[in-house]
Amino acid sequence: MNQEYVYEDEQEGEGLTFKKIGKFFQKSWLRMVVYLVIAALLVTVVAVPIKVYYKSEPIAITSIEYIYSGVEEGNDPNGKRLDTDNIISTTVLSKAVEQANLGKKIKDISRLRSAMRIEGVLTDEYVELSKAAANGDKAAAEALRKLNMFSTRFNIIISDPAELDLSDDQAKLLLNKIVTCYFEDFQVRYSMSKVFAENMYNLSQNNMREFTEIYDIYLQSLDSVKLYLQEMSETVGNFVSTTNNTTFALLLSEINVLNAGYNQFNAYIISNNIWRDKQSAKNALEASKLDITNRLEPLEEYISALTDQIKNIQPNTTTTDNGGTQSVVVTYPPEYFMYQARLDEANRQKRDYQIQLNNINTRLEKLQAAEDADEALITQATNNLAQIEAQTLELIKKVNATIADYYDAFVASSVRQVQPPVVTRKSIGFNLLVVYIVALIVALFAAGIVTGIKMIKGKTSQKAEEQSAATEEKK
């Protein structure tokens, strides 16, 4: 490799020529081969042992996956941010240690928790976009930049189980128990029971309340039930409760029938002008009317302000030209839709207030013409109301049981274990093939640079000798 280069004085063309390239490789091929061999040996001696024998840490690992709608956006079943730290909460770990009969070895739960961690697994979409972006796909790179990735699969890891005095089998058993206890915690945390109150439908015997007042209270409570059932029938309309053999749509129809019964009761009260205490009823109605009127005025001002804000928001117009065809896209900023939602809610509230005012005015008109209370009519009205209360209580219990049944089924299928526990060692994350390729490329460049330097030095030395010889001849 260190042979002296003797250059003949040849007339070569200016610039880079195939002849020069051929001469360069003729002079450097042996050095390139030697450097390549040295680079390959260095990688084999240094990198391969590190990859094969040196591992970053011994671990026990298992994996779980969430499969409910919304987790791909990072949400829990209630629509809030999913907290995966609950997987290794002290409550879960304590139960798992107890069930695994490892209390004698793991006496400090906080020490176990500090040796554990939860790692999110990259989603398939993220991995595919990353590969495409690395290959120069600009669209994939842009999509990757805008992508908010939320893992749906998570690894549960115990770092160095031997440090906790756990054998491999004990570490795997503990991981299984942690998963089981977390599933139980998840079900308790996100299951629902008795969503709606069942102890409020007993006002018929309260002589201090007018029938119309009780009617308003019950109807308002049923409105929230009705709204919930509408949402559930739209989102999970195919769910059939095994407990009650019913669906949310059927429960909604039963609520509508019950509402009709309440409306008939109210019509009976108004048509027969039944009041337990006329003066007390009048005072209560007038107070309610004043309260609603006071609420309506600022609400109307709020609606007017929202309407003006919405009018002042200008849309963003984008024009694109695709092969000679122009397309115009009109988009509104997020606050536009936020104000629209607020306006819809305010108008709904205004409508409800106006309905209440109309009912109050009707009752006040009837009350003015009312005679002294007829005990027989009051007794009949009380009995009618008690019957409706019993029907309402039965239906609310049915609704709550169906909701609990749904969440039990939903939660039970929302998370699953997708990898059995294993004890392994986490390798250093580098690719040997890439290391070899990089090393060989560096070796080629090094051989070429060394050869080029030696050729330049040889040519410079030859010219110096020629000049010296020429000088001697002149003398």
Side-chain angles (χ1 to χ4, degrees), residues 163-176:
E163 284 292 320
L164 299 169
D165 196 24
L166 296 176
S167 67
D168 288 357
D169 289 339
Q170 289 172 334
K172 290 188 284 187
L173 172 63
L174 180 58
L175 281 176
N176 271 331

Side-chain angles (χ1 to χ4, degrees), residues 210 212-213 216 270 275 277-292 356-357 359-368:
E210 292 295 335
T212 53
E213 181 185 1
D216 290 341
I270 297 300
W275 307 93
D277 186 326
K278 289 191 298 182
Q279 187 58 46
S280 175
K282 180 181 179 183
N283 293 339
L285 287 171
E286 289 177 345
S288 295
K289 181 177 181 179
L290 180 61
D291 178 65
I292 294 174
Q356 292 178 36
L357 274 181
N359 288 334
I360 289 173
N361 289 330
T362 300
R363 292 168 184 173
L364 284 173
E365 290 175 3
K366 295 292 292 184
L367 189 59
Q368 290 177 356

Side-chain angles (χ1 to χ4, degrees), residues 77 83 98-99 101 121 146 157 167-168 183 208 214 219 236 238 270 275 290 321 323 380 386 416 456:
D83 186 2
E98 181 181 355
Q99 291 184 15
N101 295 318
V121 178
K146 295 179 179 180
I157 298 172
S167 67
D168 288 357
F183 286 176
M208 301 301 293
I214 297 173
L219 221 59
V236 288
N238 59 345
I270 297 300
W275 307 93
L290 180 61
D321 190 348
Q380 184 61 46
R416 62 185 180 184
I456 292 172

Side-chain angles (χ1 to χ4, degrees), residues 54 59 61 96 104 116 141 152 183-184 203 223 228 318 327 340 381 388 432 451 463 469:
Y54 180 78
I59 59 172
I61 182 172
K104 293 183 179 179
M116 297 190 67
T152 59
F183 286 176
E184 294 172 356
L203 301 177
D223 279 345
Y228 179 84
T318 305
S327 59
Q340 281 284 13
I388 301 177
L432 271 179
T451 301
K463 287 184 178 180

Side-chain angles (χ1 to χ4, degrees), residues 59-64 87-88 92-93 96-97 100 102 106 112 115-118 155-159 161 166-183 417 419-424:
I59 59 172
I61 182 172
T62 187
S63 299
I64 63 172
I87 301 173
I88 54 174
V92 169
L93 295 182
V97 169
L102 294 172
I106 302 177
L112 171 61
M116 297 190 67
R117 65 182 183 272
I118 306 299
N155 294 330
I156 307 172
I157 298 172
I158 302 177
S159 179
L166 296 176
S167 67
D168 288 357
D169 289 339
Q170 289 172 334
K172 290 188 284 187
L173 172 63
L174 180 58
L175 281 176
N176 271 331
K177 295 301 182 182
I178 289 172
V179 170
T180 300
C181 292
Y182 174 65
F183 286 176
Q417 189 174 15
Q419 176 189 308
V422 295
V423 177
T424 182

Side-chain angles (χ1 to χ4, degrees), residues 160-284:
D160 199 358
E163 284 292 320
L164 299 169
D165 196 24
L166 296 176
S167 67
D168 288 357
D169 289 339
Q170 289 172 334
K172 290 188 284 187
L173 172 63
L174 180 58
L175 281 176
N176 271 331
K177 295 301 182 182
I178 289 172
V179 170
T180 300
C181 292
Y182 174 65
F183 286 176
E184 294 172 356
D185 177 82
F186 186 86
Q187 187 159 0
V188 171
R189 188 182 300 274
Y190 297 112
S191 292
M192 292 188 179
S193 60
K194 288 192 176 181
V195 174
F196 300 104
E198 299 175 358
N199 59 351
M200 64 174 295
Y201 301 100
N202 54 10
L203 301 177
S204 58
Q205 304 301 322
N206 188 344
N207 294 326
M208 301 301 293
R209 290 184 180 274
E210 292 295 335
F211 294 113
T212 53
E213 181 185 1
I214 297 173
Y215 164 81
D216 290 341
I217 293 172
Y218 287 171
L219 221 59
Q220 185 176 6
S221 71
L222 291 177
D223 279 345
S224 60
V225 180
K226 184 176 180 179
L227 181 61
Y228 179 84
L229 292 177
Q230 285 175 337
E231 293 175 352
M232 294 299 285
S233 62
E234 291 172 0
T235 55
V236 288
N238 59 345
F239 172 74
V240 179
S241 170
T242 56
T243 302
N244 300 308
N245 193 28
T246 189
T247 66
F248 289 112
L250 289 175
L251 290 173
L252 181 59
S253 65
E254 292 185 43
I255 287 288
N256 292 330
V257 172
L258 188 63
N259 275 342
Y262 273 106
N263 290 334
Q264 289 178 0
F265 171 76
N266 183 59
Y268 174 78
I269 296 299
I270 297 300
S271 62
N272 288 282
N273 223 351
I274 303 173
W275 307 93
R276 283 171 165 163
D277 186 326
K278 289 191 298 182
Q279 187 58 46
S280 175
K282 180 181 179 183
N283 293 339

Side-chain angles (χ1 to χ4, degrees), residues 356-414:
Q356 292 178 36
L357 274 181
N358 292 337
N359 288 334
I360 289 173
N361 289 330
T362 300
R363 292 168 184 173
L364 284 173
E365 290 175 3
K366 295 292 292 184
L367 189 59
Q368 290 177 356
E371 299 178 355
D372 292 336
D374 187 328
E375 290 300 326
L377 288 175
I378 291 177
T379 301
Q380 184 61 46
T382 302
N383 294 336
N384 291 346
L385 182 57
Q387 291 178 4
I388 301 177
E389 285 176 340
Q391 295 171 7
T392 305
L393 177 58
E394 182 181 357
L395 181 54
I396 293 301
K397 287 182 177 180
K398 189 176 180 180
V399 169
N400 286 338
T402 303
I403 293 171
D405 192 18
Y406 165 73
Y407 274 95
D408 284 345
F410 167 77
V411 171
S413 60
S414 292

